[in-house]
Amino acid sequence: MSYVARDDRPADKAARYAEVEAEILAVLDGETNVTARMATVSSMLADAFEDYFWTGFYVVDPAKDRELVVGPYQGTLGCLRIAFGRGVCGTAAETGRTQIVEDVHAFPGHIACDGRSESEIVVPVLDGSGALIAVFDVDATRKAAFDAVDAEALEGLLGKVFAR
């Protein structure tokens, strides 16, 4: 049996993000370890949204120039490494801008880590100095699962969690 997200959250997406953000910030209060912070964000968001099929981080690898390596995540097997500029995650890393892809199969150069993925949002994660430390990737099994509400909420949350 696969895991099913909680169903006791607000139906309104923005309200749901606000509720889970408050919970994440409370859980992470005082925690400084970046891996623990990433694991917690991935877990709690995956538990809050039914559409979140794969939820996790690709971390900038300090040992490899312009390359991301899989970090903490929830879901099926993720790609191990992604070059900047390649696929949706690499594009977010390269451009520094959130990517919302309604149909991943129509995205040039999409990397199919799991063929069940239909749509995706990827948000750059910056540290307190504004340097890229990772990208946060969410895949869904339905097309057009993500929109500006997701982008705004995720950008805000990730800024509060990692740009401190």
Side-chain angles (χ1 to χ4, degrees), residues 102-122:
E102 292 184 354
D103 179 356
V104 296
H105 306 293
F107 189 89
H110 175 254
I111 303 167
C113 299
D114 189 310
R116 293 173 287 180
S117 179
E118 293 289 337
S119 62
E120 187 170 4
I121 185 169
V122 181

Side-chain angles (χ1 to χ4, degrees), residues 9-28:
R9 300 247 183 219
D12 176 74
K13 191 189 303 188
R16 184 176 293 219
Y17 272 114
E19 181 178 276
V20 75
E21 176 182 293
E23 292 172 5
I24 289 170
L25 295 176
V27 168
L28 292 177

Side-chain angles (χ1 to χ4, degrees), residues 1-158:
M1 180 178 163
S2 62
Y3 181 79
V4 177
R6 289 174 48 180
D7 63 359
D8 62 341
R9 300 247 183 219
D12 176 74
K13 191 189 303 188
R16 184 176 293 219
Y17 272 114
E19 181 178 276
V20 75
E21 176 182 293
E23 292 172 5
I24 289 170
L25 295 176
V27 168
L28 292 177
D29 186 36
E31 179 54 61
T32 60
N33 182 277
V34 173
T35 302
R37 295 174 84 74
M38 289 180 177
T40 301
V41 168
S42 295
S43 174
M44 292 182 74
L45 285 172
D47 186 52
F49 290 92
E50 183 178 329
D51 281 337
Y52 278 35
F53 168 69
W54 195 96
T55 308
F57 292 86
Y58 283 96
V59 180
V60 174
D61 187 342
K64 299 257 185 164
D65 187 43
R66 299 174 43 80
E67 191 168 277
L68 302 167
V69 62
V70 71
Y73 71 91
Q74 300 284 311
T76 60
L77 181 65
C79 298
L80 297 182
R81 294 187 171 272
I82 300 173
F84 279 38
R86 186 164 178 254
V88 183
C89 290
T91 299
E94 179 78 27
T95 64
R97 290 191 305 268
T98 296
Q99 304 293 307
I100 299 173
V101 180
E102 292 184 354
D103 179 356
V104 296
H105 306 293
F107 189 89
H110 175 254
I111 303 167
C113 299
D114 189 310
R116 293 173 287 180
S117 179
E118 293 289 337
S119 62
E120 187 170 4
I121 185 169
V122 181
V123 181
V125 180
L126 309 177
D127 67 11
S129 70
L132 181 73
I133 59 169
V135 297
F136 182 67
D137 179 21
V138 183
D139 291 13
T141 56
R142 71 174 176 88
K143 288 183 176 22
F146 307 106
D147 58 23
V149 172
D150 298 283
E152 183 178 335
L154 291 172
E155 289 167 356
L157 170 64
L158 296 168

